[in-house]
């Protein structure tokens, strides 16, 4: 069984748990995926399967992409591909052109790691980007949101990693240990507890997490 599925972020809402507590949940719609290539330890140095998803028009795919689909016996013009690591024992059960539906996979998962690209917010100052407190507002200071000193002046350069103004967001973000709240197989809608990175309609990847992620400060 594969351990990674792509999904579209629909949006956020709230739901009641068994104790009557309101929880924030994010609604996701997982994709059905098709196996386009099997990578084995003896040939590629690792075990994984290449999967394709999201159907499109044939004219939007180049010849190498179509060649991979045709070699695997896939008759659908699927535009996106990714790899999912898989164990050597499970690899023997996977075949080229085999399709995995979310309804077969999601009911077996308990918690996932969600990976997506955060919202791009353009160029931002240090106060917004890093949460600086700002300067004192007294004595007629015209601007209390300046980042102030660039640290030492002797090197005549700004050190890497300095928290300065710059592009905010638009980076890959991964959240581990996200519990699955509910899954509706008829609508193919997955509800996970809390928020996930990216805008509504954005692509995220769900990775199965077998081991429980410890909470910070927990013994």
């Amino acid at each position: 069984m594969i351990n990674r599925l792509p999904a579209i972020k629909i949006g956020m809402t709230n739901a009641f748990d068994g104790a009557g507590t309101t929880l924030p949940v994010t609604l996701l719609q997982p994709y059905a995926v098709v196996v386009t290539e099997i990578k084995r330890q003896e040939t590629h140095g690792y075990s994984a399967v290449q999967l394709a998803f999201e159907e499109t028009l044939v004219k939007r795919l180049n010849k190498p992409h179509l060649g991979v689909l045709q070699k695997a016996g896939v008759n659908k013009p699927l535009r996106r591909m990714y790899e999912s690591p898989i164990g050597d024992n499970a690899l023997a059960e996977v075949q080229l052109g085999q399709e995995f539906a979310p309804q077969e996979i999601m009911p077996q998962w308990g918690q996932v790691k969600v990976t997506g690209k955060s919202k791009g917010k353009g160029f931002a100052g240090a106060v917004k980007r890093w949460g600086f407190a700002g300067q004192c507002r007294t004595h007629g200071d015209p601007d209390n949101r300046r980042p102030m000193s660039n640290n030492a002046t002797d090197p005549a350069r700004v050190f890497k990693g300095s928290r300065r103004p710059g592009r905010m967001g638009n980076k890959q973000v991964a959240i581990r240990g996200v519990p699955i709240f509910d899954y509706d197989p008829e609508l193919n809608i997955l509800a996970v507890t809390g928020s996930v990175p990216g805008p509504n309609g954005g692509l995220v990847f769900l990775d199965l997490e077998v081991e429980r992620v410890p909470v910070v400060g927990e013994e």
Side-chain angles (χ1 to χ4, degrees):
M1 188 64 67
I2 61 174
N3 298 325
R4 180 177 296 168
L5 272 182
I8 288 292
K9 179 180 176 180
I10 299 175
M12 289 196 69
T13 183
N14 53 45
F16 293 98
D17 63 2
T21 305
T22 304
L23 297 176
V25 296
T26 303
L27 303 181
L28 307 171
Q29 188 167 39
Y31 280 103
V33 296
V34 182
V35 179
T36 55
E37 188 177 354
I38 300 175
K39 301 193 174 183
R40 307 181 187 278
Q41 187 72 32
E42 55 271 16
T43 55
H44 297 84
Y46 63 100
S47 300
V49 289
Q50 185 187 77
L51 302 161
F53 65 99
E54 193 174 346
E55 193 168 348
T56 185
L57 300 176
V58 178
K59 65 180 182 180
R60 295 180 179 174
L61 303 179
N62 56 30
K63 289 184 178 180
H65 191 106
L66 288 172
V68 174
L69 296 176
Q70 292 173 0
K71 185 177 180 180
V74 181
N75 54 8
K76 300 178 182 179
L78 304 176
R79 63 185 293 259
R80 295 177 182 265
M81 293 184 180
Y82 73 101
E83 287 188 6
S84 175
I86 191 172
D88 294 334
N89 297 332
L91 199 64
E93 303 176 0
V94 179
Q95 299 178 354
L96 286 177
Q98 183 177 357
E99 184 172 351
F100 291 95
Q103 289 83 354
E104 305 172 2
I105 301 173
M106 297 313 305
Q108 306 175 25
W109 290 10
Q111 67 178 17
V112 293
K113 179 180 76 171
V114 183
T115 306
K117 184 168 286 189
S118 61
K119 294 181 181 179
K121 300 185 179 181
F123 190 93
V127 171
K128 180 178 180 180
R129 190 183 185 198
W130 301 107
F132 286 179
Q135 305 170 47
C136 181
R137 294 175 180 266
T138 59
H139 300 295
D141 189 354
D143 183 8
N144 69 315
R145 298 175 68 87
R146 288 177 294 181
M148 296 302 289
S149 172
N150 272 331
N151 297 323
T153 57
D154 194 45
R157 64 185 177 89
V158 178
F159 294 114
K160 288 185 177 181
S162 299
R163 296 188 294 177
R164 309 297 299 166
R167 189 185 71 177
M168 183 177 179
N170 196 31
K171 294 182 178 180
Q172 181 170 294
V173 180
I175 303 178
R176 298 194 60 187
V178 180
I180 292 179
F181 182 81
D182 194 14
Y183 176 68
D184 189 334
E186 295 183 1
L187 299 177
N188 188 28
I189 299 296
L190 174 70
V192 296
T193 304
S195 60
V196 301
N200 295 343
L203 177 67
V204 298
F205 283 91
L206 308 174
D207 290 81
L208 172 65
E209 285 196 334
V210 179
E211 297 182 0
R212 180 177 177 273
V213 178
V215 180
V216 177
E218 183 182 36
E219 295 182 357

